[in-house]
Coordinates of all heavy atoms in Angstrom, one line a residue:
V545 N 75.2 96.9 118.3 CA 74.3 97.9 118.9 C 72.9 97.7 118.3 O 71.9 97.7 119.1 CB 74.8 99.3 118.5 CG1 73.7 100.4 118.9 CG2 76.1 99.6 119.2
G546 N 72.8 97.3 117.0 CA 71.5 97.0 116.5 C 70.9 95.8 117.1 O 69.7 95.7 117.3
F547 N 71.8 94.8 117.4 CA 71.3 93.6 118.1 C 70.8 93.9 119.5 O 69.7 93.4 119.9 CB 72.5 92.6 118.2 CG 72.1 91.2 118.7 CD1 71.7 90.2 117.8 CD2 72.1 90.9 120.1 CE1 71.3 89.0 118.3 CE2 71.7 89.7 120.5 CZ 71.3 88.7 119.7
A548 N 71.5 94.8 120.2 CA 71.0 95.1 121.5 C 69.6 95.8 121.5 O 68.8 95.5 122.4 CB 72.0 96.1 122.2
Y549 N 69.4 96.7 120.5 CA 68.1 97.3 120.4 C 67.1 96.4 119.8 O 65.9 96.4 120.2 CB 68.2 98.6 119.5 CG 68.7 99.8 120.3 CD1 70.1 100.0 120.5 CD2 67.8 100.7 120.8 CE1 70.5 101.1 121.2 CE2 68.3 101.8 121.5 CZ 69.6 102.0 121.7 OH 70.0 103.1 122.4
G550 N 67.5 95.6 118.8 CA 66.5 94.7 118.2 C 66.0 93.6 119.0 O 64.9 93.1 118.8
I551 N 66.8 93.1 119.9 CA 66.4 91.9 120.8 C 65.4 92.3 121.8 O 64.7 91.5 122.4 CB 67.7 91.3 121.4 CG1 67.4 89.8 121.8 CG2 68.1 92.1 122.6 CD1 68.6 89.1 122.3
C552 N 65.2 93.6 122.0 CA 64.3 94.1 123.1 C 62.9 93.6 122.8 O 62.1 93.3 123.8 CB 64.3 95.6 123.2 SG 65.9 96.2 123.8
S553 N 62.5 93.6 121.6 CA 61.1 93.3 121.3 C 60.8 91.8 121.1 O 59.8 91.4 120.6 CB 60.7 94.0 120.0 OG 61.5 93.6 118.9
I554 N 61.8 90.9 121.4 CA 61.7 89.5 121.2 C 61.6 88.8 122.6 O 62.4 89.1 123.5 CB 62.9 88.9 120.4 CG1 63.0 89.6 119.1 CG2 62.9 87.4 120.3 CD1 64.3 89.2 118.3
E555 N 60.7 88.0 122.7 CA 60.6 87.2 123.9 C 61.0 85.7 123.6 O 60.5 85.2 122.6 CB 59.1 87.2 124.5 CG 58.7 88.6 125.0 CD 59.6 89.1 126.1 OE1 60.1 88.3 126.9 OE2 59.8 90.4 126.2
F556 N 61.8 85.2 124.4 CA 62.3 83.8 124.2 C 61.7 82.9 125.2 O 61.7 83.1 126.4 CB 63.9 83.8 124.4 CG 64.6 84.7 123.3 CD1 64.9 86.0 123.6 CD2 65.0 84.1 122.1 CE1 65.6 86.8 122.7 CE2 65.6 84.9 121.2 CZ 65.9 86.2 121.5
A557 N 61.3 81.7 124.7 CA 61.0 80.6 125.5 C 62.2 79.9 125.9 O 63.3 80.0 125.3 CB 60.0 79.7 124.8
S558 N 62.1 79.0 127.0 CA 63.2 78.2 127.3 C 63.5 77.2 126.2 O 62.6 76.9 125.4 CB 63.0 77.5 128.6 OG 61.9 76.5 128.4
L559 N 64.7 76.8 126.1 CA 65.0 75.9 125.0 C 64.2 74.6 125.0 O 63.7 74.1 124.0 CB 66.6 75.6 125.0 CG 67.1 74.8 123.8 CD1 66.7 75.5 122.5 CD2 68.6 74.6 123.9
P560 N 64.1 73.9 126.2 CA 63.3 72.7 126.2 C 61.8 73.0 125.7 O 61.2 72.2 125.0 CB 63.3 72.2 127.6 CG 64.6 72.8 128.2 CD 64.8 74.1 127.5
E561 N 61.3 74.1 126.2 CA 59.9 74.4 125.8 C 59.9 74.7 124.3 O 58.9 74.3 123.6 CB 59.5 75.7 126.6 CG 58.0 76.1 126.3 CD 57.6 77.3 127.0 OE1 58.3 77.6 128.1 OE2 56.7 78.0 126.6
A562 N 60.9 75.4 123.8 CA 60.9 75.7 122.3 C 60.9 74.4 121.5 O 60.2 74.2 120.5 CB 62.0 76.6 122.0
L563 N 61.8 73.5 121.9 CA 61.9 72.2 121.2 C 60.6 71.4 121.3 O 60.2 70.8 120.3 CB 63.1 71.4 121.8 CG 64.5 72.0 121.5 CD1 65.6 71.2 122.2 CD2 64.8 72.0 120.0
R564 N 60.0 71.4 122.5 CA 58.8 70.7 122.6 C 57.7 71.3 121.8 O 56.9 70.6 121.1 CB 58.4 70.8 124.1 CG 57.2 69.9 124.5 CD 57.1 69.7 126.0 NE 57.1 70.9 126.7 CZ 58.1 71.3 127.5 NH1 59.1 70.5 127.7 NH2 58.0 72.5 128.1
S565 N 57.6 72.6 121.7 CA 56.6 73.3 120.8 C 56.9 73.0 119.4 O 56.0 72.7 118.6 CB 56.7 74.8 121.1 OG 56.4 75.1 122.4
W566 N 58.2 73.0 119.0 CA 58.5 72.7 117.6 C 58.1 71.3 117.2 O 57.6 71.0 116.2 CB 60.0 72.9 117.3 CG 60.4 72.4 116.0 CD1 60.3 73.1 114.8 CD2 61.1 71.2 115.7 NE1 60.8 72.3 113.8 CE2 61.3 71.1 114.3 CE3 61.5 70.1 116.5 CZ2 61.9 70.0 113.7 CZ3 62.1 69.0 115.9 CH2 62.3 69.0 114.6
W567 N 58.4 70.4 118.1 CA 58.0 69.0 117.9 C 56.5 68.8 117.8 O 56.0 68.1 116.9 CB 58.6 68.1 119.0 CG 58.2 66.6 118.9 CD1 57.3 66.0 119.6 CD2 58.6 65.7 117.9 NE1 57.1 64.7 119.2 CE2 58.0 64.5 118.1 CE3 59.5 65.8 116.8 CZ2 58.2 63.3 117.4 CZ3 59.7 64.6 116.1 CH2 59.1 63.4 116.3
S568 N 55.8 69.4 118.7 CA 54.3 69.3 118.6 C 53.8 69.9 117.3 O 52.9 69.3 116.6 CB 53.7 70.0 119.8 OG 54.1 69.4 121.0
S569 N 54.3 71.0 116.9 CA 53.9 71.7 115.7 C 54.2 70.8 114.5 O 53.3 70.7 113.6 CB 54.6 73.0 115.6 OG 54.2 73.7 114.4
S570 N 55.4 70.2 114.5 CA 55.7 69.4 113.3 C 54.8 68.2 113.2 O 54.4 67.7 112.2 CB 57.2 69.0 113.4 OG 58.0 70.1 113.5
R571 N 54.5 67.6 114.4 CA 53.7 66.4 114.4 C 52.3 66.7 113.9 O 51.7 66.0 113.2 CB 53.6 65.8 115.8 CG 52.9 64.5 116.0 CD 52.9 64.0 117.4 NE 52.3 65.0 118.3 CZ 52.2 64.8 119.6 NH1 52.6 63.7 120.1 NH2 51.6 65.7 120.3
V572 N 51.7 67.9 114.4 CA 50.4 68.2 114.0 C 50.4 68.5 112.5 O 49.4 68.1 111.8 CB 49.9 69.5 114.7 CG1 48.7 70.1 114.2 CG2 49.7 69.1 116.2
R573 N 51.4 69.2 111.9 CA 51.4 69.5 110.5 C 51.5 68.2 109.7 O 50.9 68.1 108.6 CB 52.6 70.4 110.1 CG 52.4 71.8 110.6 CD 53.5 72.7 110.0 NE 53.3 74.1 110.4 CZ 53.9 74.7 111.4 NH1 54.7 74.0 112.1 NH2 53.7 75.9 111.7
A574 N 52.3 67.2 110.2 CA 52.4 66.0 109.4 C 51.1 65.2 109.4 O 50.8 64.5 108.4 CB 53.6 65.2 110.1
S575 N 50.4 65.2 110.5 CA 49.2 64.4 110.6 C 48.0 65.1 110.0 O 47.0 64.4 109.5 CB 48.9 64.0 112.0 OG 48.6 65.2 112.8
G576 N 48.0 66.4 110.0 CA 46.8 67.2 109.5 C 45.7 67.2 110.5 O 44.6 67.6 110.1
V577 N 45.9 66.7 111.7 CA 44.9 66.6 112.7 C 45.3 67.5 113.9 O 46.5 67.4 114.3 CB 44.6 65.2 113.2 CG1 43.5 65.1 114.3 CG2 44.2 64.3 112.0
A578 N 44.4 68.2 114.4 CA 44.8 69.1 115.6 C 45.2 68.3 116.7 O 44.6 67.2 117.0 CB 43.6 70.0 115.9
D579 N 46.2 68.7 117.4 CA 46.7 68.1 118.6 C 45.7 68.3 119.7 O 45.4 69.4 120.1 CB 48.1 68.7 119.0 CG 48.7 67.9 120.1 OD1 48.0 67.0 120.7 OD2 49.9 68.1 120.4
P580 N 45.1 67.2 120.2 CA 44.1 67.3 121.3 C 44.7 68.0 122.5 O 43.9 68.5 123.3 CB 43.7 65.9 121.6 CG 44.8 65.0 121.1 CD 45.4 65.7 119.9
E581 N 46.0 67.9 122.7 CA 46.6 68.5 123.9 C 46.9 70.0 123.7 O 47.3 70.7 124.6 CB 47.9 67.8 124.3 CG 47.7 66.3 124.7 CD 49.0 65.6 125.0 OE1 50.0 66.3 125.0 OE2 48.9 64.4 125.3
A582 N 46.8 70.4 122.4 CA 47.1 71.8 122.2 C 45.9 72.7 122.5 O 44.9 72.6 121.8 CB 47.5 72.0 120.7
T583 N 46.0 73.5 123.5 CA 44.9 74.4 123.9 C 45.4 75.8 123.8 O 46.6 76.0 123.7 CB 44.5 74.1 125.3 OG1 45.6 74.4 126.2 CG2 44.1 72.6 125.5
P584 N 44.5 76.8 123.8 CA 45.0 78.2 123.7 C 46.0 78.5 124.8 O 46.8 79.4 124.7 CB 43.7 79.0 123.8 CG 42.7 78.1 123.2 CD 43.1 76.7 123.7
G585 N 45.9 77.8 125.9 CA 46.8 78.1 127.0 C 48.1 77.4 127.1 O 48.8 77.5 128.0
T586 N 48.2 76.5 126.1 CA 49.4 75.7 126.1 C 50.6 76.5 125.8 O 50.7 77.2 124.8 CB 49.4 74.6 125.0 OG1 48.2 73.8 125.3 CG2 50.6 73.7 125.0
P587 N 51.7 76.5 126.6 CA 52.8 77.4 126.4 C 53.5 77.0 125.1 O 53.7 75.9 124.8 CB 53.7 77.1 127.6 CG 52.9 76.5 128.6 CD 51.8 75.8 127.9
G588 N 53.8 78.1 124.3 CA 54.5 77.9 123.1 C 53.7 77.5 121.9 O 54.1 77.4 120.8
L589 N 52.4 77.3 122.1 CA 51.5 76.9 121.0 C 50.4 77.9 120.8 O 49.9 78.5 121.8 CB 50.9 75.5 121.2 CG 51.8 74.3 121.3 CD1 51.1 73.1 121.6 CD2 52.6 74.2 120.0
A590 N 50.0 78.1 119.6 CA 48.9 79.0 119.3 C 48.0 78.4 118.3 O 48.4 77.7 117.4 CB 49.4 80.4 118.8
A591 N 46.7 78.7 118.5 CA 45.7 78.1 117.5 C 45.9 78.8 116.2 O 46.3 79.9 116.1 CB 44.3 78.3 118.0
R592 N 45.6 78.1 115.1 CA 45.7 78.6 113.8 C 44.4 78.1 113.0 O 43.9 77.0 113.3 CB 46.9 78.1 113.1 CG 47.2 78.7 111.8 CD 48.6 78.4 111.3 NE 48.7 77.3 110.4 CZ 49.8 77.0 109.8 NH1 50.9 77.6 110.1 NH2 49.9 76.0 109.0
P593 N 43.9 78.9 112.1 CA 42.7 78.5 111.4 C 42.9 77.1 110.7 O 44.0 76.8 110.2 CB 42.5 79.5 110.3 CG 43.2 80.8 110.9 CD 44.3 80.2 111.7
G594 N 41.9 76.2 110.9 CA 42.0 74.9 110.3 C 42.4 73.9 111.4 O 42.6 72.7 111.1
G595 N 42.5 74.3 112.6 CA 42.8 73.3 113.7 C 44.3 73.0 113.8 O 44.6 72.2 114.7
Y596 N 45.2 73.6 113.0 CA 46.6 73.4 113.2 C 47.2 74.2 114.3 O 46.6 75.1 114.8 CB 47.4 73.8 111.9 CG 47.0 72.9 110.7 CD1 45.9 73.1 109.9 CD2 47.8 71.7 110.5 CE1 45.6 72.3 108.8 CE2 47.5 70.9 109.4 CZ 46.4 71.2 108.6 OH 46.1 70.4 107.6
A597 N 48.3 73.8 114.7 CA 49.0 74.5 115.8 C 50.4 75.0 115.2 O 50.9 74.4 114.3 CB 49.3 73.6 117.0
R598 N 50.9 76.0 115.8 CA 52.2 76.5 115.4 C 53.0 77.0 116.6 O 52.4 77.3 117.6 CB 52.1 77.6 114.4 CG 51.4 78.9 115.0 CD 51.2 80.0 113.9 NE 50.6 81.1 114.5 CZ 50.3 82.2 113.8 NH1 50.6 82.3 112.5 NH2 49.7 83.2 114.4
A599 N 54.3 77.1 116.5 CA 55.1 77.6 117.6 C 54.8 79.1 117.7 O 54.7 79.8 116.8 CB 56.6 77.3 117.3
R600 N 54.7 79.5 119.0 CA 54.6 80.9 119.2 C 55.9 81.6 118.8 O 57.0 81.0 118.8 CB 54.3 81.2 120.7 CG 52.9 80.7 121.1 CD 52.7 81.1 122.6 NE 51.4 80.6 123.0 CZ 50.3 81.3 122.9 NH1 50.2 82.4 122.2 NH2 49.2 80.7 123.3
P601 N 55.9 82.9 118.6 CA 57.1 83.6 118.2 C 58.3 83.4 119.2 O 59.4 83.3 118.9 CB 56.7 85.1 118.2 CG 55.2 85.0 117.8 CD 54.7 83.8 118.5
S602 N 57.9 83.3 120.5 CA 59.0 83.1 121.5 C 59.7 81.8 121.3 O 60.9 81.7 121.3 CB 58.4 83.2 122.9 OG 57.4 82.2 123.1
S603 N 59.0 80.8 121.0 CA 59.6 79.5 120.7 C 60.4 79.5 119.4 O 61.5 79.0 119.3 CB 58.5 78.4 120.6 OG 57.8 78.3 121.8
M604 N 59.8 80.2 118.4 CA 60.5 80.3 117.1 C 61.9 81.0 117.3 O 62.9 80.6 116.8 CB 59.7 81.0 116.1 CG 60.4 81.2 114.8 SD 59.6 82.5 113.7 CE 60.0 84.0 114.6
W605 N 61.9 82.1 118.0 CA 63.1 82.9 118.2 C 64.1 82.1 119.1 O 65.3 82.3 118.9 CB 62.8 84.2 118.8 CG 62.4 85.2 117.8 CD1 61.1 85.8 117.7 CD2 63.1 85.8 116.8 NE1 61.1 86.6 116.7 CE2 62.3 86.7 116.1 CE3 64.5 85.7 116.4 CZ2 62.7 87.4 115.0 CZ3 64.9 86.4 115.3 CH2 64.1 87.3 114.6
S606 N 63.7 81.3 120.0 CA 64.6 80.5 120.7 C 65.3 79.5 119.8 O 66.5 79.3 119.9 CB 63.9 79.7 121.8 OG 63.3 80.6 122.7
L607 N 64.6 78.9 118.9 CA 65.2 78.0 117.9 C 66.1 78.7 116.9 O 67.2 78.2 116.5 CB 64.1 77.2 117.1 CG 63.2 76.3 118.0 CD1 62.2 75.6 117.1 CD2 64.1 75.2 118.7
V608 N 65.7 79.9 116.6 CA 66.6 80.8 115.7 C 67.9 81.1 116.4 O 69.0 81.0 115.8 CB 65.8 82.1 115.3 CG1 66.8 83.0 114.6 CG2 64.7 81.8 114.3
L609 N 67.8 81.4 117.7 CA 69.0 81.7 118.4 C 69.9 80.5 118.5 O 71.1 80.6 118.3 CB 68.7 82.2 119.8 CG 69.9 82.6 120.7 CD1 70.6 83.8 120.1 CD2 69.4 82.9 122.1
L610 N 69.3 79.3 118.7 CA 70.1 78.1 118.7 C 70.8 77.9 117.3 O 71.9 77.5 117.3 CB 69.2 76.9 119.1 CG 69.9 75.5 119.0 CD1 71.0 75.5 120.1 CD2 68.8 74.4 119.3
G611 N 70.0 78.1 116.3 CA 70.6 78.0 114.9 C 71.7 78.9 114.7 O 72.7 78.6 114.0

Side-chain angles (χ1 to χ4, degrees):
V545 171
F547 187 90
Y549 277 83
I551 202 175
C552 294
S553 59
I554 300 174
E555 294 299 328
F556 295 92
S558 65
L559 186 58
E561 181 181 340
L563 291 173
R564 189 165 52 248
S565 300
W566 171 79
W567 173 253
S568 300
S569 176
S570 301
R571 186 179 58 177
V572 169
R573 287 192 178 95
S575 63
V577 178
D579 187 348
E581 297 180 1
T583 65
T586 303
L589 296 178
R592 187 163 99 175
Y596 292 87
R598 65 180 180 184
R600 291 185 184 275
S602 58
S603 300
M604 179 195 71
W605 278 111
S606 299
L607 297 178
V608 167
L609 184 63
L610 177 62

